[in-house]
Amino acid sequence: MPVAQRSDVKPLAVQARCIRLPAKVADAASLAPVIETRALSRGENDLLIEIKAAAVNPSDVKAATGLMPYAVFPRTPGRDYAGVVIDGPTGWIGREVFGSSGDLGIRRDGTHATHLVVEADAVVEKPNSISWEEAAGIGVPFVTAMEGLRRAGIPRADETVLVMGVNGKVGQAAVQIASWHGAHVIGVVRKAEPYEGHASSKVEVIDASETDVAACVRELTDGKGADIVFNTVGDPYFQAAHQSLGLRGRQILIAAVDRIVQFNILEFYRGQHTYVGIDTLGLSSVATGAVLRELGPGFASGHLKPFPIKPSAIYPLEQAKAAFMAVAGSSRDRVILRPSA
């Protein structure tokens, strides 16, 4: 897209339509989002973006229902977005961008609005081959997966990556990244079903309801075990993940149901294991942008693909509660708000 230039230096001011959450509620059914009009303009190093699409994440619902004590109220929710820059430093206007954040929509006003102000270093250029809705759906799942694998060590072609909860969005993103880098990927599901996402190579699937996961992993790896276990579920799979690790294996943890687990310290240190905890809510918009830029070559080459977006999972701002309820109901669809709908 050609980039327009502005002859004036005075920041543009817009009247943005924003979803507002007045206060925390007990559960998703009690949500009462309202639409307010708020004046927005950018700072010197910021961009003013016209939002074309924004995702609704489970963390948006958790923050709205008081499960994140640092979430501020009232606020506009939303962490992920895609849109067009309509005001910014020279060379930015007209660019199509997308991004995500750990603080947007939680500690400060977020993306469930017609417009957003965000730091210039936080955004990533949107590939022309990806739709607005697809770009908006990349953020949290892919950032979580990439940050986990960065911290644990990007898998090599001679390594095995085991993904617990492989059909969840973070699980699918982890598979895409691992197979992009040539790793052998094994996925775990809680009931009989195939892997549902994109991958650059074959993904072997273990049905945890019918099979001893650790024993199966050993069989599939000639007794070696997994080099990396990406545990997207947490404690329900903790022991199986621990027992599946090979020598110097790394387990990535991003979630928990019950906070306390039994932990075999002897096996841990004799196996020379590493445990990596990931919380993308601790990443600023700028830090999140840096992670997304590392993923850029994968999307450009086609090794990484955005999640398909179903038309039935796209909602206007006026139906924000329905969108939140869909996510709270454990929908596997990537749920999107389209401000102009």
Side-chain angles (χ1 to χ4, degrees), residues 89 107 118 135 144 146 177 186 228 235 238 313 317:
R107 300 176 184 87
V118 71
T144 304
M146 185 63 177
I177 296 167
I186 304 171
I228 297 174
D235 50 283
F238 182 84
L317 291 185

mmCIF file with all atom_site columns, all heavy atoms in Angstrom, residues 89 107 118 135 144 146 177 186 228 235 238 313 317:
data_model
loop_
_atom_site.group_PDB
_atom_site.id
_atom_site.type_symbol
_atom_site.label_atom_id
_atom_site.label_alt_id
_atom_site.label_comp_id
_atom_site.label_asym_id
_atom_site.label_entity_id
_atom_site.label_seq_id
_atom_site.pdbx_PDB_ins_code
_atom_site.Cartn_x
_atom_site.Cartn_y
_atom_site.Cartn_z
_atom_site.occupancy
_atom_site.B_iso_or_equiv
_atom_site.pdbx_formal_charge
_atom_site.auth_seq_id
_atom_site.auth_comp_id
_atom_site.auth_asym_id
_atom_site.auth_atom_id
_atom_site.pdbx_PDB_model_num
ATOM 1   N N   . PRO A 1 89  ? 4.332   9.336   12.795 1.00 0.00 ? 89  PRO A N   1
ATOM 2   C CA  . PRO A 1 89  ? 5.539   9.957   12.259 1.00 0.00 ? 89  PRO A CA  1
ATOM 3   C C   . PRO A 1 89  ? 5.627   9.789   10.746 1.00 0.00 ? 89  PRO A C   1
ATOM 4   O O   . PRO A 1 89  ? 4.952   8.942   10.148 1.00 0.00 ? 89  PRO A O   1
ATOM 5   C CB  . PRO A 1 89  ? 6.666   9.205   12.968 1.00 0.00 ? 89  PRO A CB  1
ATOM 6   C CG  . PRO A 1 89  ? 6.049   8.665   14.221 1.00 0.00 ? 89  PRO A CG  1
ATOM 7   C CD  . PRO A 1 89  ? 4.635   8.342   13.846 1.00 0.00 ? 89  PRO A CD  1
ATOM 8   N N   . ARG A 1 107 ? -4.070  -3.376  31.555 1.00 0.00 ? 107 ARG A N   1
ATOM 9   C CA  . ARG A 1 107 ? -3.629  -2.260  32.393 1.00 0.00 ? 107 ARG A CA  1
ATOM 10  C C   . ARG A 1 107 ? -3.909  -0.904  31.757 1.00 0.00 ? 107 ARG A C   1
ATOM 11  O O   . ARG A 1 107 ? -3.797  0.123   32.413 1.00 0.00 ? 107 ARG A O   1
ATOM 12  C CB  . ARG A 1 107 ? -2.135  -2.382  32.689 1.00 0.00 ? 107 ARG A CB  1
ATOM 13  C CG  . ARG A 1 107 ? -1.754  -3.663  33.425 1.00 0.00 ? 107 ARG A CG  1
ATOM 14  C CD  . ARG A 1 107 ? -0.238  -3.757  33.590 1.00 0.00 ? 107 ARG A CD  1
ATOM 15  N NE  . ARG A 1 107 ? 0.158   -5.011  34.201 1.00 0.00 ? 107 ARG A NE  1
ATOM 16  C CZ  . ARG A 1 107 ? 0.386   -6.143  33.523 1.00 0.00 ? 107 ARG A CZ  1
ATOM 17  N NH1 . ARG A 1 107 ? 0.227   -6.154  32.205 1.00 0.00 ? 107 ARG A NH1 1
ATOM 18  N NH2 . ARG A 1 107 ? 0.764   -7.248  34.145 1.00 0.00 ? 107 ARG A NH2 1
ATOM 19  N N   . VAL A 1 118 ? -0.951  3.371   19.904 1.00 0.00 ? 118 VAL A N   1
ATOM 20  C CA  . VAL A 1 118 ? 0.058   2.422   20.366 1.00 0.00 ? 118 VAL A CA  1
ATOM 21  C C   . VAL A 1 118 ? 1.434   2.893   19.892 1.00 0.00 ? 118 VAL A C   1
ATOM 22  O O   . VAL A 1 118 ? 1.544   3.659   18.915 1.00 0.00 ? 118 VAL A O   1
ATOM 23  C CB  . VAL A 1 118 ? -0.257  1.006   19.835 1.00 0.00 ? 118 VAL A CB  1
ATOM 24  C CG1 . VAL A 1 118 ? -0.008  0.909   18.340 1.00 0.00 ? 118 VAL A CG1 1
ATOM 25  C CG2 . VAL A 1 118 ? 0.524   -0.054  20.586 1.00 0.00 ? 118 VAL A CG2 1
ATOM 26  N N   . ALA A 1 135 ? -5.147  -11.582 10.486 1.00 0.00 ? 135 ALA A N   1
ATOM 27  C CA  . ALA A 1 135 ? -4.034  -10.880 11.139 1.00 0.00 ? 135 ALA A CA  1
ATOM 28  C C   . ALA A 1 135 ? -4.348  -10.585 12.600 1.00 0.00 ? 135 ALA A C   1
ATOM 29  O O   . ALA A 1 135 ? -3.491  -10.725 13.485 1.00 0.00 ? 135 ALA A O   1
ATOM 30  C CB  . ALA A 1 135 ? -3.715  -9.586  10.387 1.00 0.00 ? 135 ALA A CB  1
ATOM 31  N N   . THR A 1 144 ? 2.604   -16.327 22.496 1.00 0.00 ? 144 THR A N   1
ATOM 32  C CA  . THR A 1 144 ? 2.812   -17.247 23.605 1.00 0.00 ? 144 THR A CA  1
ATOM 33  C C   . THR A 1 144 ? 3.674   -18.428 23.175 1.00 0.00 ? 144 THR A C   1
ATOM 34  O O   . THR A 1 144 ? 4.623   -18.821 23.865 1.00 0.00 ? 144 THR A O   1
ATOM 35  C CB  . THR A 1 144 ? 1.465   -17.759 24.141 1.00 0.00 ? 144 THR A CB  1
ATOM 36  O OG1 . THR A 1 144 ? 0.648   -16.643 24.518 1.00 0.00 ? 144 THR A OG1 1
ATOM 37  C CG2 . THR A 1 144 ? 1.661   -18.654 25.346 1.00 0.00 ? 144 THR A CG2 1
ATOM 38  N N   . MET A 1 146 ? 5.741   -18.635 20.550 1.00 0.00 ? 146 MET A N   1
ATOM 39  C CA  . MET A 1 146 ? 7.092   -18.222 20.165 1.00 0.00 ? 146 MET A CA  1
ATOM 40  C C   . MET A 1 146 ? 7.920   -17.839 21.376 1.00 0.00 ? 146 MET A C   1
ATOM 41  O O   . MET A 1 146 ? 9.104   -18.200 21.471 1.00 0.00 ? 146 MET A O   1
ATOM 42  C CB  . MET A 1 146 ? 7.018   -17.048 19.181 1.00 0.00 ? 146 MET A CB  1
ATOM 43  C CG  . MET A 1 146 ? 8.376   -16.632 18.625 1.00 0.00 ? 146 MET A CG  1
ATOM 44  S SD  . MET A 1 146 ? 9.137   -17.976 17.665 1.00 0.00 ? 146 MET A SD  1
ATOM 45  C CE  . MET A 1 146 ? 10.641  -17.159 17.099 1.00 0.00 ? 146 MET A CE  1
ATOM 46  N N   . ILE A 1 177 ? 5.397   -23.484 14.589 1.00 0.00 ? 177 ILE A N   1
ATOM 47  C CA  . ILE A 1 177 ? 6.750   -22.954 14.756 1.00 0.00 ? 177 ILE A CA  1
ATOM 48  C C   . ILE A 1 177 ? 7.779   -24.085 14.824 1.00 0.00 ? 177 ILE A C   1
ATOM 49  O O   . ILE A 1 177 ? 8.841   -24.022 14.193 1.00 0.00 ? 177 ILE A O   1
ATOM 50  C CB  . ILE A 1 177 ? 6.825   -22.074 16.021 1.00 0.00 ? 177 ILE A CB  1
ATOM 51  C CG1 . ILE A 1 177 ? 5.914   -20.859 15.866 1.00 0.00 ? 177 ILE A CG1 1
ATOM 52  C CG2 . ILE A 1 177 ? 8.263   -21.616 16.287 1.00 0.00 ? 177 ILE A CG2 1
ATOM 53  C CD1 . ILE A 1 177 ? 5.674   -20.101 17.155 1.00 0.00 ? 177 ILE A CD1 1
ATOM 54  N N   . ILE A 1 186 ? 5.149   -34.211 18.101 1.00 0.00 ? 186 ILE A N   1
ATOM 55  C CA  . ILE A 1 186 ? 4.140   -35.139 18.600 1.00 0.00 ? 186 ILE A CA  1
ATOM 56  C C   . ILE A 1 186 ? 3.108   -34.323 19.362 1.00 0.00 ? 186 ILE A C   1
ATOM 57  O O   . ILE A 1 186 ? 3.467   -33.453 20.165 1.00 0.00 ? 186 ILE A O   1
ATOM 58  C CB  . ILE A 1 186 ? 4.754   -36.193 19.540 1.00 0.00 ? 186 ILE A CB  1
ATOM 59  C CG1 . ILE A 1 186 ? 5.894   -36.940 18.852 1.00 0.00 ? 186 ILE A CG1 1
ATOM 60  C CG2 . ILE A 1 186 ? 3.685   -37.156 20.042 1.00 0.00 ? 186 ILE A CG2 1
ATOM 61  C CD1 . ILE A 1 186 ? 6.691   -37.829 19.783 1.00 0.00 ? 186 ILE A CD1 1
ATOM 62  N N   . ILE A 1 228 ? 11.684  -31.072 24.031 1.00 0.00 ? 228 ILE A N   1
ATOM 63  C CA  . ILE A 1 228 ? 10.857  -29.979 24.534 1.00 0.00 ? 228 ILE A CA  1
ATOM 64  C C   . ILE A 1 228 ? 9.436   -30.488 24.703 1.00 0.00 ? 228 ILE A C   1
ATOM 65  O O   . ILE A 1 228 ? 8.897   -31.142 23.805 1.00 0.00 ? 228 ILE A O   1
ATOM 66  C CB  . ILE A 1 228 ? 10.856  -28.770 23.566 1.00 0.00 ? 228 ILE A CB  1
ATOM 67  C CG1 . ILE A 1 228 ? 12.256  -28.173 23.415 1.00 0.00 ? 228 ILE A CG1 1
ATOM 68  C CG2 . ILE A 1 228 ? 9.874   -27.692 24.054 1.00 0.00 ? 228 ILE A CG2 1
ATOM 69  C CD1 . ILE A 1 228 ? 12.340  -27.068 22.374 1.00 0.00 ? 228 ILE A CD1 1
ATOM 70  N N   . ASP A 1 235 ? -1.193  -28.446 35.024 1.00 0.00 ? 235 ASP A N   1
ATOM 71  C CA  . ASP A 1 235 ? -1.083  -29.552 35.979 1.00 0.00 ? 235 ASP A CA  1
ATOM 72  C C   . ASP A 1 235 ? -1.754  -30.858 35.549 1.00 0.00 ? 235 ASP A C   1
ATOM 73  O O   . ASP A 1 235 ? -1.257  -31.932 35.884 1.00 0.00 ? 235 ASP A O   1
ATOM 74  C CB  . ASP A 1 235 ? -1.601  -29.112 37.348 1.00 0.00 ? 235 ASP A CB  1
ATOM 75  C CG  . ASP A 1 235 ? -2.964  -28.458 37.279 1.00 0.00 ? 235 ASP A CG  1
ATOM 76  O OD1 . ASP A 1 235 ? -3.034  -27.279 36.875 1.00 0.00 ? 235 ASP A OD1 1
ATOM 77  O OD2 . ASP A 1 235 ? -3.966  -29.106 37.620 1.00 0.00 ? 235 ASP A OD2 1
ATOM 78  N N   . PHE A 1 238 ? 0.974   -32.465 33.853 1.00 0.00 ? 238 PHE A N   1
ATOM 79  C CA  . PHE A 1 238 ? 2.314   -32.189 34.380 1.00 0.00 ? 238 PHE A CA  1
ATOM 80  C C   . PHE A 1 238 ? 3.144   -33.459 34.520 1.00 0.00 ? 238 PHE A C   1
ATOM 81  O O   . PHE A 1 238 ? 4.300   -33.530 34.085 1.00 0.00 ? 238 PHE A O   1
ATOM 82  C CB  . PHE A 1 238 ? 2.224   -31.466 35.727 1.00 0.00 ? 238 PHE A CB  1
ATOM 83  C CG  . PHE A 1 238 ? 3.559   -31.110 36.307 1.00 0.00 ? 238 PHE A CG  1
ATOM 84  C CD1 . PHE A 1 238 ? 4.221   -29.958 35.920 1.00 0.00 ? 238 PHE A CD1 1
ATOM 85  C CD2 . PHE A 1 238 ? 4.171   -31.941 37.233 1.00 0.00 ? 238 PHE A CD2 1
ATOM 86  C CE1 . PHE A 1 238 ? 5.461   -29.634 36.444 1.00 0.00 ? 238 PHE A CE1 1
ATOM 87  C CE2 . PHE A 1 238 ? 5.412   -31.628 37.772 1.00 0.00 ? 238 PHE A CE2 1
ATOM 88  C CZ  . PHE A 1 238 ? 6.056   -30.470 37.376 1.00 0.00 ? 238 PHE A CZ  1
ATOM 89  N N   . ALA A 1 313 ? -17.953 -16.464 13.594 1.00 0.00 ? 313 ALA A N   1
ATOM 90  C CA  . ALA A 1 313 ? -17.173 -16.067 14.766 1.00 0.00 ? 313 ALA A CA  1
ATOM 91  C C   . ALA A 1 313 ? -16.752 -14.599 14.711 1.00 0.00 ? 313 ALA A C   1
ATOM 92  O O   . ALA A 1 313 ? -15.906 -14.169 15.482 1.00 0.00 ? 313 ALA A O   1
ATOM 93  C CB  . ALA A 1 313 ? -15.937 -16.955 14.902 1.00 0.00 ? 313 ALA A CB  1
ATOM 94  N N   . LEU A 1 317 ? -19.087 -4.539  17.271 1.00 0.00 ? 317 LEU A N   1
ATOM 95  C CA  . LEU A 1 317 ? -18.863 -4.063  18.642 1.00 0.00 ? 317 LEU A CA  1
ATOM 96  C C   . LEU A 1 317 ? -20.138 -4.183  19.476 1.00 0.00 ? 317 LEU A C   1
ATOM 97  O O   . LEU A 1 317 ? -20.073 -4.475  20.674 1.00 0.00 ? 317 LEU A O   1
ATOM 98  C CB  . LEU A 1 317 ? -18.394 -2.613  18.635 1.00 0.00 ? 317 LEU A CB  1
ATOM 99  C CG  . LEU A 1 317 ? -16.991 -2.312  18.075 1.00 0.00 ? 317 LEU A CG  1
ATOM 100 C CD1 . LEU A 1 317 ? -16.662 -0.832  18.263 1.00 0.00 ? 317 LEU A CD1 1
ATOM 101 C CD2 . LEU A 1 317 ? -15.927 -3.185  18.724 1.00 0.00 ? 317 LEU A CD2 1
#
